[in-house]
Amino acid sequence: MTLHRKHFILGGIAAACWAIAAPAFAQANTGKLKVGLMLPYTGTFAALGVAIENGFRLHVAEQGGKLGGREIEFVKVDDESDPAKATDNVNKLIKRDSVDVLVGTVHSGVAMAMAKAAKDSGTMLIVPNAGADAVTGPMCASHIFRSSFSNWQPGYAMGEVVAKKGHKKVVTITWKYAAGDESVKGFKEAFEKGGGQVVKDLSLPFPNVEFQALLTEIASLKPDAVYTFFAGGGAVKFVKDYAAAGLKKSIPLYGAGFLTDGTLEAQGADADGLLTTLHYGDSLDSAKDKAFRLNYVKAYKLQPDVYAVQGYDAAQMLAIGLNAVKGDITKKPEFAAAVEKARIDSPRGPFTLGKTHNPVQDIYLRQVSGKENKVIGVASKSLADPGRGCRM
Ligand code: BEZ
């Protein structure tokens, strides 16, 4: 065979391959964009997963069902807030379903497995709740974003508040896993800087809710105050048990805001008056928040909470990135650059992302009044997570 003829044949094969591949490339920009939702739909965090999905879908619906010009298709996995199943679950979305972007999850331990899988596979990941410090710390990556908070943030803000109130000796109580440990660590950092002392850290395994023995220990330790991280069904039970044990009257209880967010209906009067710190509250009264709340209630016949806001903002972040790359999510550096420079118009108030892709945001001081977490001040203005260990 002459060289000329060989080139001709090879060229023909290449052209044929291109003809086959071309529709697939075109598809990459214009076909449906597969969003892999990995959230808890069962267990103590089930309501949180539903609120995140509702918030996400609300923004997509407000954009006419398309982001960056592409119709959105959802693939869902119930992660059960179970870290032991997390790697298999996320790989179902990445390998079996070939999703374009992962959105998840609530539980910090599960989110760390997601971040590892996202890093290994290069899949885009937006975390709409889990605060695991590592996700925007040592595990940070240019294609991993968070629309929520780091566990350090509300804890640190509350540490400052409790120190300023003049409390000296505090006991902490939480679930023994990354979110609880890191929330307490953030609290302790600020509280001890402010002259206080944490005299005892109490914990129980996630998602255990047998609090009685620990409440008896708090009563005998007689601290000036208690700091806690619980969320979802566990938070409902803890607040009720704390009151039933007679502690609410004698030892002030402070918490990261998850203690009373999305839970007030079930907690009733036992939550009344509690002070918490969080990046959202029920009485912000901005035009953006009012519209969000109205549309959420209309769509779901439910009141929104912080989880719904984080889901909504995860979709806003995806939209910002996709608009910048005209729907081509494979253009990761351009996608990241657009999200990094965006001012995200959130119901919580506008926020930006820090260098590690974690929100830089106001942390509000809220007080429970009836069925609302009323914002009574800003505990920490534009608080940025330190992003320890992130190299990006
Ligand atoms: C977490 O595991 O990171 C988490 C769970 C529920 C509420 C807040 C944080």
Side-chain angles (χ1 to χ4, degrees), residues 144-172:
I144 297 179
F145 304 85
R146 183 148 54 195
S147 66
S148 51
F149 59 93
S150 73
N151 290 322
W152 178 90
Q153 283 176 309
Y156 187 87
M158 189 47 106
E160 290 186 323
V161 169
V162 176
K164 276 187 205 137
K165 283 194 176 291
H167 297 306
K168 292 295 176 214
K169 295 199 182 304
V170 163
V171 168
T172 70

Side-chain angles (χ1 to χ4, degrees), residues 45 48 105-111 129-132 146 149 151 175 177-180 182 206 229-232 258 278 307 310:
F45 290 159
L48 288 57
T105 186
V106 168
H107 184 287
S108 275
V110 177
N129 182 71
R146 183 148 54 195
F149 59 93
N151 290 322
W175 279 312
Y177 82 109
E182 292 168 359
F206 175 88
F229 165 88
F230 288 111
F258 314 104
L278 204 62
Y307 309 104
Q310 293 167 171

Side-chain angles (χ1 to χ4, degrees), residues 264-296:
L264 291 177
E265 208 57 61
Q267 288 163 333
D270 290 338
D272 221 29
L274 290 182
L275 288 173
T276 63
T277 41
L278 204 62
H279 47 287
Y280 189 59
D282 290 322
S283 53
L284 287 171
D285 244 19
S286 65
K288 179 73 188 179
D289 190 43
K290 274 189 193 154
F292 166 75
R293 293 180 81 96
L294 199 71
N295 293 340
Y296 192 92

Side-chain angles (χ1 to χ4, degrees), residues 12-335:
I13 292 169
C17 287
W18 172 249
I20 293 163
F25 279 121
Q27 187 85 349
N29 276 347
T30 58
K32 285 186 181 173
L33 185 101
K34 265 195 189 179
V35 174
L37 288 180
M38 182 157 148
L39 292 166
Y41 295 104
T42 50
T44 196
F45 290 159
L48 288 57
V50 170
I52 289 168
E53 179 177 346
N54 286 348
F56 195 99
R57 284 183 184 270
L58 180 62
H59 184 66
V60 174
E62 286 173 359
Q63 305 308 304
K66 286 186 176 182
L67 302 183
R70 295 182 66 179
E71 211 175 302
I72 301 298
E73 179 185 340
F74 291 99
V75 188
K76 288 166 53 167
V77 165
D78 175 7
D79 68 37
E80 303 168 50
S81 294
D82 186 350
K85 297 181 183 163
T87 302
D88 281 350
N89 278 332
V90 70
N91 279 329
K92 276 183 209 156
L93 292 171
I94 296 172
K95 296 185 180 152
R96 182 194 66 192
D97 301 323
S98 305
V99 298
D100 295 295
V101 55
L102 289 163
V103 176
T105 186
V106 168
H107 184 287
S108 275
V110 177
M112 283 193 274
M114 291 185 78
K116 178 165 186 328
K119 271 188 108 153
D120 292 349
S121 63
T123 313
M124 191 79 74
L125 167 64
I126 304 177
V127 179
N129 182 71
D133 292 346
V135 167
T136 52
M139 301 181 88
C140 72
S142 55
H143 62 288
I144 297 179
F145 304 85
R146 183 148 54 195
S147 66
S148 51
F149 59 93
S150 73
N151 290 322
W152 178 90
Q153 283 176 309
Y156 187 87
M158 189 47 106
E160 290 186 323
V161 169
V162 176
K164 276 187 205 137
K165 283 194 176 291
H167 297 306
K168 292 295 176 214
K169 295 199 182 304
V170 163
V171 168
T172 70
I173 178 164
T174 188
W175 279 312
K176 187 85 208 132
Y177 82 109
D181 291 345
E182 292 168 359
S183 181
V184 163
K185 216 166 148 199
F187 171 83
K188 211 183 270 191
E189 188 180 326
F191 183 56
E192 297 195 340
K193 224 189 268 175
Q197 190 195 355
V198 171
V199 292
K200 185 112 194 193
D201 291 319
L202 300 173
S203 63
L204 71 173
F206 175 88
N208 199 324
V209 290
E210 296 312 317
F211 301 119
Q212 211 47 55
L214 298 174
L215 293 174
T216 305
E217 196 172 344
I218 290 173
S220 73
L221 287 165
K222 295 191 178 55
D224 299 337
V226 168
Y227 173 76
T228 190
F229 165 88
F230 288 111
V236 171
K237 174 123 186 335
F238 182 75
V239 164
K240 294 194 86 57
D241 286 4
Y242 196 84
L247 294 173
K248 190 170 175 228
K249 292 191 290 292
S250 51
I251 306 172
L253 177 65
Y254 299 94
F258 314 104
L259 187 69
T260 57
D261 229 81
T263 55
L264 291 177
E265 208 57 61
Q267 288 163 333
D270 290 338
D272 221 29
L274 290 182
L275 288 173
T276 63
T277 41
L278 204 62
H279 47 287
Y280 189 59
D282 290 322
S283 53
L284 287 171
D285 244 19
S286 65
K288 179 73 188 179
D289 190 43
K290 274 189 193 154
F292 166 75
R293 293 180 81 96
L294 199 71
N295 293 340
Y296 192 92
V297 171
K298 250 195 229 161
Y300 305 110
K301 315 279 176 277
L302 287 170
Q303 288 299 326
D305 54 19
V306 70
Y307 309 104
V309 170
Q310 293 167 171
Y312 186 83
D313 291 340
Q316 292 212 78
M317 284 161 56
L318 180 60
I320 288 164
L322 283 174
N323 284 336
V325 296
K326 301 196 169 45
D328 185 356
I329 200 160
T330 62
K331 291 186 171 161
K332 292 196 194 105
E334 294 90 333
F335 181 106

